[in-house]
Amino acid sequence: MMKTKTNWRLWAPFVVIATLFCSAASAETVPLSSFNADYIVYRAGKKHGEANRYLKTTEQGYQLGYSSDISWMIFSDKRQEISDFTVTDGAIQPLRYVMTRSGTGPNRYYELNLDPATKVLSEGKARKPKATEWQNDWLDQISYQLQLVLDLRAGKTEFTYNVLNRHGDSKPYHYKVVAEEMLPLPYGNIKTLRIARIEENSDKQIYAWVAPELDYMLVRLWRGEDNVEQFDVQLHKLDLTPSVQASGSP
């Protein structure tokens, strides 16, 4: 059973709904579907905020975005992330990542720019080149979730990604499909795949549920530590273009 405990200092680093997943398809087959998704953020069964995710086309390719607004007593946390990217042969190529944060504690701003032509990674508003060897498989803090869904559509069930943190340092992220489940959500009842992040020697747990019938849209995200809940994010509303009607009950 997933229990809850109140340790609100953990919300700031983990409430970023950047660990959400989104709908996808390869650029050479079915174009990416634009969407706008609203979520409710729960803790111990009570609503403490809202989040939004979107995907839209741009002149360069696509932009994936996320924002959240969380509050509890004197604690507040507002965040926004964007990733501009292209898709080639089923692979995501991030071009620019920006994250801003305000609320309780210090405000933050992070920016990464990736130039695949010159193979240069730069950091911050000043775009200072980072002294590191270019890696063709780099993904940023939210674009890797889109790559995961592309791989799900290709039939894969285990995944490893080379993800850049907000300072431009890379780390491998490992995921695995662990179950098929029917979920009752604010959006409605829907069939899902449950995906677990695999971290050795870690007491943290991350589970994400995606709906294959909604182009693998994320419908729920749960994070805990020692199986004690930190937050639970659930889909509330969804606009998907082109529209996809699930067999559940939205």
Side-chain angles (χ1 to χ4, degrees):
M1 178 178 179
M2 296 178 179
K3 302 179 181 179
T4 62
K5 68 178 180 181
T6 303
N7 188 350
W8 290 94
R9 65 182 179 82
L10 294 173
W11 278 66
F14 299 138
V15 78
V16 181
I17 314 303
T19 48
L20 305 183
F21 305 98
C22 64
S23 66
S26 84
E28 290 68 42
T29 54
V30 181
L32 295 172
S33 298
S34 298
F35 69 82
N36 189 73
D38 293 325
Y39 300 83
I40 298 175
V41 182
Y42 295 98
R43 183 160 182 158
K46 297 181 179 180
K47 178 181 176 180
H48 289 289
E50 298 176 341
N52 171 267
R53 298 173 61 250
Y54 69 84
L55 180 67
K56 66 180 183 179
T57 58
T58 65
E59 291 184 359
Q60 290 180 303
Y62 297 93
Q63 182 178 94
L64 175 64
Y66 136 81
S67 62
S68 65
D69 189 347
I70 311 298
S71 62
W72 182 77
M73 297 180 67
I74 63 172
F75 172 83
S76 66
D77 187 279
K78 294 183 179 181
R79 300 184 181 224
Q80 184 175 18
E81 290 183 86
I82 62 169
S83 175
D84 294 307
F85 63 91
T86 60
V87 183
T88 303
D89 296 330
I92 300 296
Q93 173 58 68
L95 303 174
R96 182 171 180 258
Y97 167 83
V98 175
M99 181 270 192
T100 59
R101 185 266 176 198
S102 63
T104 306
N107 295 342
R108 301 291 186 189
Y109 179 91
Y110 302 93
E111 181 175 341
L112 296 175
N113 285 274
L114 297 89
D115 188 338
T118 61
K119 299 187 182 300
V120 173
L121 168 65
S122 58
E123 181 186 3
K125 291 182 178 180
R127 299 195 176 190
K128 180 180 179 181
K130 191 172 178 65
T132 185
E133 183 178 354
W134 178 269
Q135 301 292 320
N136 289 327
D137 62 348
W138 274 336
L139 295 164
D140 63 48
Q141 287 286 299
I142 56 178
S143 66
Y144 83 89
Q145 297 121 16
L146 179 54
Q147 185 64 59
L148 185 147
V149 179
L150 286 169
D151 292 339
L152 280 170
R153 293 178 67 90
K156 298 180 181 180
T157 58
E158 293 193 44
F159 326 88
T160 300
Y161 303 119
N162 189 16
V163 180
L164 296 169
N165 66 17
R166 296 173 189 127
H167 299 288
D169 300 314
S170 64
K171 176 182 178 179
Y173 281 23
H174 306 284
Y175 288 91
K176 182 177 182 180
V177 176
V178 294
E180 296 183 10
E181 298 176 342
M182 176 70 76
L183 284 185
L185 300 166
Y187 175 79
N189 299 328
I190 194 163
K191 297 177 182 178
T192 68
L193 298 177
R194 177 155 57 101
I195 301 167
R197 181 169 172 181
I198 309 300
E199 294 184 278
E200 294 183 2
N201 303 317
S202 175
D203 55 3
K204 299 179 178 63
Q205 298 83 40
I206 300 175
Y207 296 105
W209 288 258
V210 299
E213 296 177 24
L214 293 176
D215 286 346
Y216 295 94
M217 181 67 60
L218 173 107
V219 295
R220 184 185 180 191
L221 174 73
W222 187 92
R223 176 149 191 166
E225 187 168 351
D226 291 327
N227 285 316
V228 178
E229 181 182 283
Q230 293 177 346
F231 63 79
D232 187 357
V233 182
Q234 300 185 20
L235 181 67
H236 176 50
K237 296 179 181 179
L238 173 64
D239 292 321
L240 182 65
T241 306
S243 61
V244 176
Q245 179 64 51
S247 60
S249 55

